[in-house]
């Protein structure tokens, strides 16, 4: 299973770090992805990180590239999403997913 | 990034068959786009139904199937049940990563 945490209310221009704890599968070998969903809207792919065995590299969607950073700590079975220079349009429910399993999400609200 | 298009809404009768499609602005959807399909019910997290065009997980009901059809990815529901009423999203690869379609709201009525 996956459990996200770290969401909250932040002002525009601020930063937040989300975490996603994994259990029940071999986290080390899995590519992990962040997906978000703005209120009343569809799913939006945010970015992904490959497993260390596959290089551990990252890809990001255009709206977040240069502002968001994905990392992983395989020793802690944890995925992270560092969000900087937050904008109002980043307000959403943020999910982490391993493809086969999804977390329940954590809410990020960007508002002054 | 690619723009991925889905039917905004579809209606199917109970027991009926419906096909949802997923097209890409970059052209024909192929196996190289690794299309996946997700179901999301109100207030719930998404669940993955189909990956790599047509592969299923153990929890994917047999009535759902994935394919490539007319240059698009397709999700076919054969024998619709009331519990299949939900939003359905496709996900495909592009040159930068992955992109979701806008979703299809499926009504079983």
């Amino acid at each position: 299973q996956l459990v996200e945490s770290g969401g909250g209310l932040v002002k525009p221009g601020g930063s937040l770090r989300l975490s996603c704890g994994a259990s029940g599968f071999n986290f080390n070998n899995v590519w992990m992805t962040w997906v978000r969903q703005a209120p009343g809207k569809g799913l939006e792919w945010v970015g992904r990180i490959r497993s260390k065995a596959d290089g551990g590299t990252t890809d990001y969607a255009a709206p977040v590239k240069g502002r968001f950073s994905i990392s992983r700590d395989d020793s802690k079975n944890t995925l992270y999403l560092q969000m900087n220079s937050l904008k109002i349009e980043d307000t959403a429910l943020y999910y982490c997913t391993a493809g086969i399993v999804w977390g329940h999400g954590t809410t990020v609200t960007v508002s002054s | 990034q690619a723009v991925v298009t889905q039917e905004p809404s579809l209606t199917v009768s109970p027991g009926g068959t419906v096909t949802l499609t997923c097209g890409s602005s970059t052209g024909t959807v192929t196996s190289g786009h690794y299309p996946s399909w997700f179901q999301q019910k109100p207030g719930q997290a998404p669940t993955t139904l189909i990956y790599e065009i047509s592969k299923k997980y153990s929890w994917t009901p047999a009535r759902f199937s994935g394919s490539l059809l007319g240059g698009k990815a397709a999700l076919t529901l054969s024998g619709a049940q009331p519990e299949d009423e939900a939003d359905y999203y496709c996900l495909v690869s592009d040159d930068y990563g992955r992109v979701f379609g806008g979703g299809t709201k499926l009504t079983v009525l």
Side-chain angles (χ1 to χ4, degrees):
Chain A
Q1 81 177 36
L2 297 171
V3 179
E4 302 92 337
S5 60
L9 175 63
V10 61
K11 288 181 166 49
S15 296
L16 209 56
R17 189 177 83 156
L18 307 183
S19 299
C20 170
S23 60
F25 64 95
N26 194 341
F27 181 79
N28 295 11
N29 293 342
V30 175
W31 294 23
M32 295 296 298
T33 298
W34 286 99
V35 173
R36 68 185 180 183
Q37 188 168 33
K41 302 296 185 182
L43 301 177
E44 181 181 14
W45 189 87
V46 173
R48 69 181 169 194
I49 185 166
R50 295 170 179 79
S51 62
K52 290 284 194 303
D54 290 325
T57 52
T58 53
D59 299 301
Y60 299 95
V64 308
K65 196 167 185 178
R67 299 189 299 121
F68 289 14
S69 177
I70 298 173
S71 61
R72 62 192 300 159
D73 186 337
D74 290 346
S75 69
K76 296 181 178 178
N77 284 355
T78 301
L79 174 74
Y80 300 101
L81 178 65
Q82 177 68 43
M83 303 185 294
N84 299 328
S85 303
L86 281 160
K87 304 177 181 181
I88 290 175
E89 52 265 37
D90 295 319
T91 294
L93 181 60
Y94 283 73
Y95 297 101
C96 64
T97 174
I100 190 172
V101 63
W102 290 67
H104 286 92
T106 187
T107 298
V108 173
T109 303
V110 185
S111 175
S112 54
Chain B
Q1 281 183 298
V3 174
V4 179
T5 55
Q6 298 182 242
E7 298 85 2
S9 63
L10 290 170
T11 299
V12 61
S13 300
T17 297
V18 64
T19 297
L20 289 63
T21 67
C22 173
S24 173
S25 61
T26 62
T28 299
V29 175
T30 68
S31 59
H33 291 90
Y34 301 97
S36 300
W37 290 91
F38 306 86
Q39 179 191 64
Q40 187 179 35
K41 296 183 179 180
Q44 297 184 19
T47 58
T48 307
L49 288 174
I50 301 283
Y51 66 103
E52 294 180 13
I53 304 175
S54 59
K55 296 178 180 177
K56 300 180 184 181
Y57 291 111
S58 59
W59 56 81
T60 305
R63 59 186 179 273
F64 287 96
S65 62
S67 65
L68 296 178
L69 192 65
K72 298 181 180 182
L75 176 70
T76 299
L77 171 58
S78 303
Q81 301 297 310
E83 60 264 32
D84 299 328
E85 186 160 295
D87 294 326
Y88 292 84
Y89 296 91
C90 67
L91 177 68
V92 297
S93 294
D94 70 357
D95 290 342
Y96 304 96
R98 303 273 273 166
V99 183
F100 279 102
T104 295
K105 184 175 184 63
L106 182 66
T107 300
V108 181
L109 189 61

